[in-house]
Amino acid sequence: MREKIVFVGGGNMASAIIDGLLEQGRELADFLVIEPYAPTRDALLARGLTCRESVGADIGDAALCVLATKPQVLQEACGQIHQHLPATATVVSIAAGVELASLSAWLGGHARIVRAMPNTPAKVGLGMTGLYATPACSAAEREQVDALFAAVGERIWTESEAMIDAVTAVTGSGPGYVFHFMAALEKGALELGFAKDDARRLAVSVFRGAAGLAASEDVPLTELQERVTSKGGTTYAALSHMREAGVADAITQAVHKAEQRARELSAG
């Protein structure tokens, strides 16, 4: 019998995971989505997914229950879920800033819980998800969860729950940093006379190409930078300016600021 996966919340991240799993051979019948927002629910139903407005007894045979709601409504959702949730189910939360202790309490003491921090590139199968499991989760249950997020990209398991805040700062928020840099590069291209569409293409292609190159070679990123930097050349002039402006330090400090905010959110 194939395992049943319940998604509480059918928004973008839930849809991305479902799409990834379908591409890997899962079937529509493997999923149940709980989605109270009618337009989203109707769109999911139109795709052939089983979708309910509220939690009911039909989650009672779930192997995995993915909490994909907004953090502010998660406590209410958990209150509905724990009445029907089987003790053998593994619960996966992708809600930022909600600690395992709170989740367990809201779920009536349920212990098999994994916190996950995916990022938005999961929508195109290029995500990075940070994961932390409670001690109650077995190796097999961890493998189930790992397979869930393998459908949308890479995974990294952390050794402590606190490190989920660090994952949030680096990869959860990371796409925002990249888009910030990309928009600045696009602006520079526009100022040099390129049309808007071409400026965007140039900026996007630089990041796509550089990321692909970095992923293909197991060498320090600083070495890759040195390879494209000739003394006195154009790249040298640009990087020298960035060093003088403190760009690298600002980015590193921004990561620390994001981690600090993630910890504040987790603490309530």
Side-chain angles (χ1 to χ4, degrees):
M1 181 177 178
R2 297 170 70 97
E3 64 185 22
K4 179 176 179 179
I5 305 175
V6 173
F7 287 85
V8 181
N12 290 334
M13 191 57 68
S15 293
I17 296 170
I18 291 170
D19 288 343
L21 291 169
L22 289 172
E23 288 178 7
Q24 291 187 345
R26 299 300 297 256
E27 299 175 0
L28 289 170
D30 296 338
F31 307 107
L32 168 63
V33 184
I34 311 299
E35 177 50 66
Y37 184 55
T40 301
R41 188 171 65 254
D42 290 344
L44 293 167
L45 287 167
R47 294 179 53 192
L49 287 157
T50 302
C51 200
R52 304 277 185 264
E53 181 177 358
S54 58
V55 177
D58 49 359
I59 74 166
D61 57 348
L64 290 169
C65 180
V66 182
L67 306 178
T69 68
K70 295 179 180 178
Q72 57 266 35
V73 300
L74 187 54
Q75 183 174 0
E76 180 183 353
C78 287
Q80 299 170 7
I81 293 164
H82 87 83
Q83 302 174 42
H84 307 287
L85 186 71
T88 55
T90 303
V91 175
V92 181
S93 172
I94 64 173
V98 181
E99 294 186 333
L100 289 168
S102 296
L103 289 167
S104 180
W106 297 342
L107 291 167
H110 194 86
R112 292 185 175 92
I113 309 176
V114 175
R115 275 189 68 184
M117 178 47 60
N119 63 3
T120 52
K123 296 177 185 178
V124 292
L126 295 172
M128 170 60 83
T129 303
L131 298 160
Y132 176 75
T134 60
C137 293
S138 67
E141 288 160 346
R142 286 168 57 105
E143 287 176 7
Q144 281 183 313
V145 176
D146 195 78
L148 190 74
F149 291 98
V152 291
E154 299 185 52
R155 293 83 57 220
I156 181 170
W157 286 87
T158 65
E159 296 181 0
S160 69
E161 183 179 4
M163 286 301 292
I164 290 293
D165 293 333
V167 171
T168 301
V170 178
T171 59
S173 299
Y177 316 153
V178 174
F179 295 141
H180 181 73
F181 199 121
M182 197 180 292
L185 193 59
E186 178 188 43
K187 182 174 182 289
L190 288 168
E191 291 174 353
L192 292 176
F194 289 99
K196 186 171 180 58
D197 288 349
D198 287 340
R200 181 186 174 94
R201 285 178 58 215
L202 288 168
V204 172
S205 69
V206 166
F207 277 82
R208 181 188 290 124
L213 186 59
S216 72
E217 297 199 41
D218 187 18
V219 298
L221 296 176
T222 51
E223 181 177 327
L224 293 177
Q225 179 179 295
E226 289 168 3
R227 289 182 189 177
V228 298
T229 307
S230 301
K231 185 73 171 179
T234 57
T235 308
Y236 179 85
L239 290 175
S240 295
H241 175 75
M242 289 185 192
R243 292 190 185 99
E244 291 172 4
V247 172
D249 287 342
I251 293 170
T252 302
Q253 290 166 15
V255 173
H256 287 285
K257 290 289 186 182
E259 193 269 346
Q260 179 183 340
R261 182 57 181 152
R263 282 190 282 109
E264 291 170 353
L265 292 171
S266 293

